[in-house]
Amino acid sequence: MATHLILQKILKTGRLSEPAPAADPAMRTREQELQAEILKVFGQAVAIRCVDAGSCNGCELEIHALNSPQYNIEGLGVKFAASPRHVDVLLVTGPVSRNLETALRRTYDATPEPKWVVAMGDCGCTGGMFGESYASCGKVSNVIPVDVEVPGCPPTPTALLQGILAAVSGGH
Amino acid sequence: MAEFANLTLETAGRHVWRVRPAADQLVALARAVKEEGGQLIALWGSDDRPLGAGYGLHAAFMTSLGMLWATVALAVEDPAHADLAAVFPQAGRMQRATHDLLGIRAEGAEDTRKWLRHGAWPANAFPLRKDYAAATVNEPDAYAFVRVEGDGPHEIPVGPIHAGTIEPGHFRFTIIGDRVLRLEERLGYTHKGTEKRFEGMDLATGARLAGRVSGDSHVAYAWAYCMAVEQAVGAEVPERAVWLRALFLEMERVANHLGDLGYLGNDVALAFGFNQFWKWKEDWLRLTARMFGHRYLFDSVVPGGIAVDLADDGYDLNRMTRRLDDEVAQLKRIYDEHATLQDRFANTGIVKPDMAARLGLTGLAGRASAQAWDARMQFPQPPYDRLAVNMATQRKGDVLARAEVRFAEVFESLRLIRDILKHLPGGAVRAELPAVAAVREGLGWVEGWRGEVVVAVRISADGRLDRVHPHDPSWQNWPLLEVGILGNIVPDFPLINKSFNLSYSGQDL
């Protein structure tokens, strides 16, 4: 009987969540001027839309890893949403391929203000190994404004979490 | 065979053979491979004008001898070859990509629409030609989808940007009621000029880029690339390095399979399965980082060997494999007994063996549809020739079969890891590559977690990369997803898609 086995396993596994890391303000690329009230709201819950703008899928592995029970991101008020219209933060991996340039701009435009953009990974921050070419626009900030850059190839889930928290914690 | 009497087979590595047929022999050669039960694995082109020739068309066939790498010389003006898709349908998209990038035409091909080109470069410019100098443009894609006419069908466009955290691509569903009548994929969105980027790179940097063709198969690509380079320059790789490469490859397979098994549970609303498998995947990645400095082993495989050695006897890894044997067996029992999960997995997204054979389904998904190919078993490169890999196969070709193959391969990889640790030879882990003074070519071939990864390399006389073609098994398997979804309901698409888990970046290049 599967239910019995599942319950047994859940009880045996116990709680796995680990304490969250602190925000890393060093990842901020620009100061956001925010109303204190908005910050207060975002300080408690934030919805994120992932946009793969041409990555090798390495960064996506770590976004998935952030969903593993050890990180408990929903417990921190961070939730991944299915539409840009529902979110506060766009998490963009790159390099931005020219074939996705328009789609990325449209996704940005569809996201309601106020919004923040986190560029993830060496490619998203600088263009990385792919750089700029006939097929690649390079870094994310070549296409849309970026608030926080999280370097790494790929950045660890902890670094990513620090970057997301830096995006939504304003100057605090 | 008499018609190939003029051809000679040169050996081009372990289980790899090179043959140079005339242009008018290519289709007959492909037919001969097909009649013998072989498959077309990869097809690509090269600009050979700097070598004093025209263009080259390359095809890699899986045969009973191993990999047959056929190269055909094409003219400088309007390079063209006879269509191979009539023999091997999987050639279709590869031929279209070869045209987009090099302007090599497949004469007589039924589908000559563009594939990797959207609107970022003009139709009459070909980026992989050495003299490419076109300005970038930004035109609408204007792609001619196949339309279903008549009363009743309804079209659902999905993507390129998807609702989940997955790579971008466009799916055009035509449905009648709840059932999918037709699916057409439009890929190429993550095309970022990877092949062009290789040109002029030094050999070590090339390994780093090869590993980033598809991030989830880093080790498979880096190894296949290094194998090709080492074959080309005639380098001897220390035994210990070869064994550790296999250790890395099996660790990569376990990480990916654990993640997929979790997501397959998640996609049928069994969040428990996701949490359990991802807890273990995360622990596995952390152990990998502790042992080798990177969660996904990035840049650990380098030309001539490996960059990071195993520091101890691998005790922690050994213990972890025993623990996972037990944990995954427990979770498998739950998946086996979970009525909802079984109901959603079984008979969903079926690719029958005869269709799989006809269209060239390969790798993990192929083995779930009775396509019994696994390079680690049939054509083992060292150290697999000493490891006796057991291949996992199923016949049903549904989501359940693809999950079963993953379970079996997790257990087998855990066993192989223990075997590798037990028999790991000592000694150096890296050798210097001999210097190159002439144009050299090589081909590497590794059974990654998704299927066979093939990398072909040409090195110029100055020792730098001239042409690198990385081939992902997703090229063959994407068209089979269009087949597997037929007759299923749209809400089962994410589950079916996940059960294949194909690479976008690996085929978009």
Side-chain angles (χ1 to χ4, degrees):
Chain A
M1 185 49 190
T3 316
H4 170 69
L5 293 172
I6 289 173
L7 289 175
Q8 214 173 40
K9 190 79 195 148
I10 290 173
L11 285 171
K12 259 182 123 171
T13 305
R15 285 179 68 110
L16 300 169
S17 314
E18 297 164 359
D24 184 353
M27 292 176 179
R28 259 185 223 124
T29 57
R30 57 175 194 171
E31 283 308 314
Q32 305 112 352
E33 288 183 24
L34 300 172
Q35 295 167 355
E37 278 164 54
I38 295 174
L39 272 180
K40 229 167 105 186
V41 173
F42 283 141
Q44 287 166 25
V46 60
I48 300 180
R49 180 76 182 87
C50 297
V51 182
D52 176 339
S55 93
C56 77
N57 200 30
C59 285
E60 281 65 30
L61 296 178
E62 292 298 46
I63 301 173
H64 288 301
L66 206 49
N67 285 304
S68 47
Q70 285 92 332
Y71 297 100
N72 184 29
I73 53 155
E74 294 207 3
L76 298 174
V78 178
K79 190 173 166 53
F80 291 103
S83 164
R85 297 189 196 284
H86 301 163
V87 302
D88 319 299
V89 172
L90 289 180
L91 175 60
V92 187
T93 59
V96 182
S97 74
R98 293 200 191 273
N99 287 352
L100 275 168
E101 188 182 346
T102 308
L104 177 61
R105 282 187 209 281
R106 285 186 189 165
T107 306
Y108 181 80
D109 292 341
T111 311
E113 295 277 1
K115 57 190 163 194
W116 289 265
V117 175
V118 177
M120 177 185 183
D122 286 349
C123 297
C125 296
T126 69
M129 291 208 72
F130 298 96
E132 290 175 34
S133 71
Y134 77 92
S136 164
C137 304
K139 61 185 177 183
V140 176
S141 62
N142 284 348
V143 180
I144 55 171
V146 167
D147 298 286
V148 166
E149 290 180 342
V150 186
C153 187
T156 61
T158 307
L160 177 58
L161 204 45
Q162 287 174 309
I164 292 169
L165 295 175
V168 295
S169 64
H172 308 283
Chain B
M1 269 173 279
E3 58 190 314
F4 305 120
N6 64 326
L7 297 185
T8 50
L9 282 185
E10 308 158 41
T11 168
R14 192 101 176 241
H15 308 299
V16 180
W17 305 89
R18 190 82 189 263
V19 64
R20 296 172 196 276
D24 59 2
Q25 286 180 306
L26 185 63
V27 171
L29 181 66
R31 277 225 173 81
V33 168
K34 179 136 192 154
E35 275 162 23
E36 188 226 37
Q39 283 289 358
L40 175 84
I41 300 296
L43 181 143
W44 69 101
S46 58
D47 181 350
D48 299 347
R49 290 174 299 167
L51 307 178
Y55 292 86
L57 182 81
H58 307 261
F61 298 101
M62 184 91 87
T63 72
S64 56
L65 284 176
M67 192 73 82
L68 186 66
W69 174 12
T71 299
V72 177
L74 304 178
V76 178
E77 293 301 326
D78 189 22
H81 62 90
D83 171 45
L84 281 181
V87 185
F88 289 112
Q90 63 265 45
R93 288 178 181 176
M94 302 181 214
Q95 289 180 162
R96 289 159 66 189
T98 304
H99 181 263
D100 288 349
L101 298 174
L102 275 155
I104 295 173
R105 282 188 307 112
E107 257 173 343
E110 216 171 282
D111 190 346
T112 54
R113 288 175 297 171
K114 59 186 181 172
W115 183 242
L116 293 184
R117 189 177 73 81
H118 289 197
W121 69 90
N124 58 359
F126 306 105
L128 283 184
R129 289 191 177 183
K130 300 291 181 190
D131 51 4
Y132 175 79
T136 50
V137 291
N138 195 358
E139 298 163 357
D141 186 12
Y143 185 73
F145 285 95
V146 175
R147 299 295 298 268
V148 179
E149 308 279 326
D151 279 344
H154 172 70
E155 222 175 53
I156 313 176
V158 178
I161 294 183
H162 293 151
T165 305
I166 55 170
E167 297 181 83
H170 182 88
F171 299 120
R172 187 69 60 98
F173 296 93
T174 305
I175 58 166
I176 289 200
D178 276 343
R179 307 258 157 207
V180 177
L181 187 66
R182 184 184 159 82
L183 164 64
E184 187 171 359
E185 298 153 359
R186 172 80 178 115
L187 303 177
Y189 286 95
T190 70
H191 178 71
K192 46 194 169 285
T194 310
E195 288 175 286
K196 189 79 178 171
R197 203 74 184 162
F198 277 110
E199 291 179 9
M201 253 182 194
D202 64 71
L203 301 182
T205 313
R208 301 186 59 230
L209 183 58
R212 286 158 179 81
V213 167
S214 179
D216 55 31
S217 304
H218 178 94
V219 175
Y221 273 100
W223 188 1
Y225 166 87
C226 289
M227 197 186 286
V229 165
E230 288 149 7
Q231 167 63 29
V233 304
E236 283 293 327
V237 183
E239 221 192 343
R240 182 177 173 85
V242 172
W243 280 73
L244 283 170
R245 282 177 178 179
L247 182 81
F248 296 163
L249 188 69
E250 297 310 321
M251 289 177 81
E252 181 170 273
R253 193 182 322 274
V254 169
N256 279 291
H257 283 1
L258 289 177
D260 283 351
L261 287 168
Y263 262 110
L264 285 169
N266 202 51
D267 282 350
V268 296
L270 186 64
F272 164 83
F274 177 86
N275 282 308
Q276 289 287 334
F277 276 106
W278 279 75
K279 173 241 180 310
W280 287 108
K281 180 175 180 185
E282 180 65 18
D283 283 352
W284 184 257
L285 296 173
R286 289 179 183 187
L287 176 64
T288 310
R290 270 206 308 283
M291 292 177 68
F292 300 108
H294 194 286
R295 286 159 59 88
Y296 300 95
L297 295 157
F298 275 30
D299 306 323
S300 53
V301 179
V302 294
I306 53 167
V308 47
D309 198 357
L310 177 69
D312 52 21
D313 61 355
Y315 176 79
D316 289 348
L317 180 58
N318 206 322
R319 225 178 61 171
M320 176 68 124
T321 64
R322 301 261 179 218
R323 182 77 202 268
L324 273 180
D325 263 344
D326 181 38
E327 291 286 344
V328 175
Q330 286 179 39
L331 294 174
K332 179 160 193 327
R333 197 176 150 210
I334 292 172
Y335 273 31
D336 285 348
E337 293 189 15
H338 198 282
T340 316
L341 181 144
Q342 289 293 320
D343 184 44
R344 294 281 309 276
F345 278 20
N347 300 313
T348 306
I350 296 175
V351 176
K352 289 189 174 147
D354 60 335
M355 185 61 92
R358 197 141 34 105
L359 300 187
L361 189 69
T362 190
L364 149 83
R367 290 192 286 277
S369 294
Q371 303 308 297
W373 297 93
D374 187 328
R376 295 175 302 164
M377 198 182 119
Q378 281 130 337
F379 305 110
Q381 304 282 347
Y384 288 107
D385 51 352
R386 305 210 355 233
L387 282 168
V389 177
N390 296 304
M391 176 163 42
T393 52
Q394 292 277 325
R395 287 199 61 82
K396 287 271 312 254
D398 54 2
V399 172
L400 184 59
R402 290 184 283 276
E404 290 286 347
V405 169
R406 283 183 172 89
F407 271 116
E409 291 189 355
V410 167
F411 293 125
E412 180 65 1
S413 288
L414 293 171
R415 187 189 72 77
L416 288 169
I417 288 169
R418 286 192 294 271
D419 235 20
I420 292 169
L421 289 173
K422 195 165 154 196
H423 300 290
L424 188 63
V429 293
R430 196 168 179 178
E432 284 297 312
L433 295 186
V436 170
V439 174
R440 300 287 187 84
E441 294 182 328
L443 182 137
W445 172 21
V446 167
E447 188 76 32
W449 70 268
R450 192 179 271 121
E452 73 287 308
V453 165
V454 176
V455 177
V457 164
R458 177 187 290 158
I459 303 168
S460 325
D462 64 359
R464 292 184 165 266
L465 293 169
D466 174 70
R467 173 84 175 99
V468 175
H469 176 72
H471 175 85
D472 198 277
S474 304
W475 276 105
Q476 294 100 295
N477 287 3
W478 274 116
L480 268 304
L481 177 63
E482 292 180 345
V483 173
I485 184 66
L486 295 181
N488 287 263
I489 56 173
V490 178
D492 270 341
F493 180 70
L495 175 66
I496 297 168
N497 192 21
K498 181 47 90 177
S499 73
F500 283 89
N501 195 4
L502 303 176
S503 171
Y504 298 70
S505 183
Q507 93 97 53
D508 292 351
L509 294 170

